[in-house]
Amino acid sequence: MDNNNANADVSIHPLTDNPTAAWKEISKHQKLLKLNVKIPTKPVENNKVRFVCMSDTHSLIRNITYDIPDGDVFIHCGDFTKCGQKDEVFQFNEWLGTLPHKHKIVIAGNHELSFDQKFKNIFKKNFDKREKRHSTSGIEEVKHYGNTNDDIVEAVNTPNISQYLTNCTYLEDSGIELYGIKIYGTPWQPEFGNWAFNLERGEECLSKWNAIPNDVDILITHTPPLGHGDLVCSGIRAGCVELLTTVQQRVKPKYHVFGHIHEGYGVTSDGKIIYINASTCDINYVPRNLPVVFDVPLKEGF
Ligand code: 5GP
Ligand code: MN
Ligand code: MN
Ligand code: MN
C-alpha cells in the first residue's frame, strides 16, 4: 500500500467534542442517503468480489438464527467478545473456521480488552494499587455489565491474545490487499466508558486516522464516522468528526464499514462513499441484524 499520506491536512473541527452539534453544522452542506440493501439471492458474478460484513457479535454467535451468506471476503468490525477473554476469542476463531469465505478479516473493538496493551497496562497498575490498599470492594473503575471482575482480570492477564485468531487476518492499524482491492483496519474510537482502544476526540483520534493510506478502497473501523450509523437511541450522535473528514476529504474509500453503535445498523451514503454499520447485535445485545453484503467490480488484470 502506498503510504503517501504525508499531505494529510485534516483539521480538528471546532465542535469535535460535541458531535451532535458538529453534525448540525456539517449536515447542512452534504447529502445523506439511506440505502435499502438486501442480501443477494444470486451468486456473485465472475468479474466481482463479494464482501460479507458483520460486527458486534459479542460472543452470541450461537444465538444467530440465520445462515451466514457465502462470499469471497468476510469482514468483522470488532466487538466479537464481551470482554476479550481467551475462551471467547478461541470460540470466535473456531466459528470463523466453519465459515466458507476464502478470506476473513477481523478488527478488534472496545470490548476486546485483552487486545489493547495500553488498556491492560493501566488496568493492571490500578488493580495492583487497590490490592496494596487491601481493597475488598472489587474493581470500581471498570463496570462492564455482563462481565464479572474475574472475567476482566483474566482477560487483561492473557498475553499474545491475537495468536488465537488463526482463522482470519487480524488487522490493527494495518492493511491487506485482496484481488487488487486495498483494505485497511483500525480498532480505535472516541472514548466512552472505561474500555479498550479509547482515545480522546480531536488530536488523539486524528493521529490514528492519519495513518490510513490514501489509496484504501475499503476502510474498516470499529467506530462510525460522524453522521453515518452513529445515532444513539438517546438522540445524540457518537461518531467521530475527524474520521468523517479523513474519509471524505483525504482517503475517499469506496466503502467504510464499521459497527459499535448497535442501533445505527444500516447502510447510508453521502453520494460518493457507502457507509455500512454492520452491527449484528441490536441495542439489547440480541444478534438479530443480518450481515451486509456488497459486490465490488474487479480491477483490470484481476
Ligand atoms: P458497546 O458497549 O458494544 O461498545 O456499545 C453498545 C452501545 O453503547 C451502543 O449501541 C450505544 O448505545 C452505546 N454507546 C457506545 N459508544 C457510545 C458513545 O460514544 N456515546 C454514547 N452516547 N453511547 C455509546
Ligand atoms: Mn458492541
Ligand atoms: Mn483514496
Ligand atoms: Mn463497541
Side-chain angles (χ1 to χ4, degrees):
M1 273 193 202
D2 100 63
N3 255 307
N4 182 22
N5 50 8
N7 299 329
D9 55 355
V10 170
S11 52
I12 309 284
H13 195 281
L15 293 169
T16 186
D17 287 323
N18 187 345
T20 309
W23 182 244
K24 239 183 197 165
E25 286 302 311
I26 292 171
S27 62
K28 285 179 193 158
H29 314 288
Q30 45 183 287
K31 281 191 210 162
L32 176 62
L33 311 167
K34 271 198 170 256
L35 307 183
N36 199 351
V37 175
K38 291 211 174 92
I39 293 179
T41 50
K42 289 185 183 153
V44 64
E45 290 165 48
N46 278 338
N47 56 352
K48 288 182 178 166
V49 181
R50 178 160 290 173
F51 288 80
V52 177
C53 308
M54 295 178 79
S55 189
D56 298 78
T57 47
H58 288 290
S59 290
L60 294 163
I61 293 290
R62 65 185 168 280
N63 298 352
I64 292 178
T65 54
Y66 51 76
D67 293 329
I68 312 297
D70 195 3
D72 301 294
V73 186
F74 176 82
I75 293 177
H76 194 294
C77 312
D79 278 4
F80 45 91
T81 68
K82 291 186 166 121
C83 72
Q85 279 182 284
K86 188 171 120 186
D87 278 1
E88 294 185 280
V89 178
F90 192 86
Q91 277 178 30
F92 176 67
N93 186 61
E94 292 277 287
W95 175 73
L96 285 174
T98 68
L99 295 180
H101 312 81
K102 294 179 203 76
H103 306 275
K104 296 153 193 173
I105 298 174
V106 173
I107 67 163
N110 53 303
H111 279 252
E112 277 72 64
L113 304 180
S114 52
F115 284 72
D116 180 2
Q117 197 53 52
K118 187 177 132 209
F119 178 89
K120 289 165 77 169
N121 292 344
I122 293 170
F123 181 91
K124 280 190 211 164
K125 221 195 263 168
N126 291 341
F127 189 70
D128 290 347
K129 261 193 228 154
R130 252 189 320 278
E131 290 293 283
K132 280 192 194 117
R133 291 200 310 266
H134 305 289
S135 165
T136 53
S137 58
I139 302 159
E140 299 95 343
E141 281 82 356
V142 185
K143 289 213 170 68
H144 298 104
Y145 48 105
N147 298 311
T148 67
N149 288 350
D150 287 349
D151 292 340
I152 292 158
V153 169
E154 198 207 289
V156 298
N157 283 318
T158 308
N160 303 320
I161 188 74
S162 60
Q163 70 179 305
Y164 300 102
L165 288 178
T166 56
N167 289 326
C168 65
T169 302
Y170 172 67
L171 296 182
E172 187 178 315
D173 300 308
S174 57
I176 182 179
E177 188 175 323
L178 296 172
Y179 310 98
I181 299 164
K182 294 185 170 82
I183 303 163
Y184 184 93
T186 173
W188 304 93
Q189 78 266 302
E191 60 192 355
F192 180 71
N194 192 3
W195 294 97
F197 299 110
N198 265 343
L199 291 175
E200 277 176 35
R201 288 183 184 274
E203 256 345 306
E204 279 200 4
C205 282
L206 181 58
S207 73
K208 297 297 179 185
W209 316 144
N210 278 344
I212 305 167
N214 285 339
D215 58 354
V216 165
D217 299 301
I218 299 177
L219 175 64
I220 311 169
T221 59
H222 183 57
T223 181
L226 180 70
H228 295 270
D230 73 328
L231 190 60
V232 181
C233 51
S234 64
I236 71 148
R237 298 229 166 236
C240 178
V241 188
E242 284 68 39
L243 181 56
L244 179 72
T245 314
T246 298
V247 164
Q248 289 184 326
Q249 293 181 10
R250 183 176 67 79
V251 179
K252 301 172 185 167
K254 294 179 185 70
Y255 294 88
H256 181 187
V257 197
F258 47 86
H260 186 47
I261 303 302
H262 299 182
E263 57 274 50
Y265 169 81
V267 184
T268 54
S269 176
D270 55 15
K272 289 186 174 136
I273 297 159
I274 292 176
Y275 301 87
I276 298 172
N277 182 327
S279 288
T280 302
C281 275
D282 66 10
I283 183 68
N284 299 313
Y285 289 84
V286 179
R288 65 166 86 249
N289 295 326
L290 293 173
V292 178
V293 180
F294 61 88
D295 297 344
V296 178
L298 280 169
K299 290 178 186 175
E300 226 172 286
F302 285 93

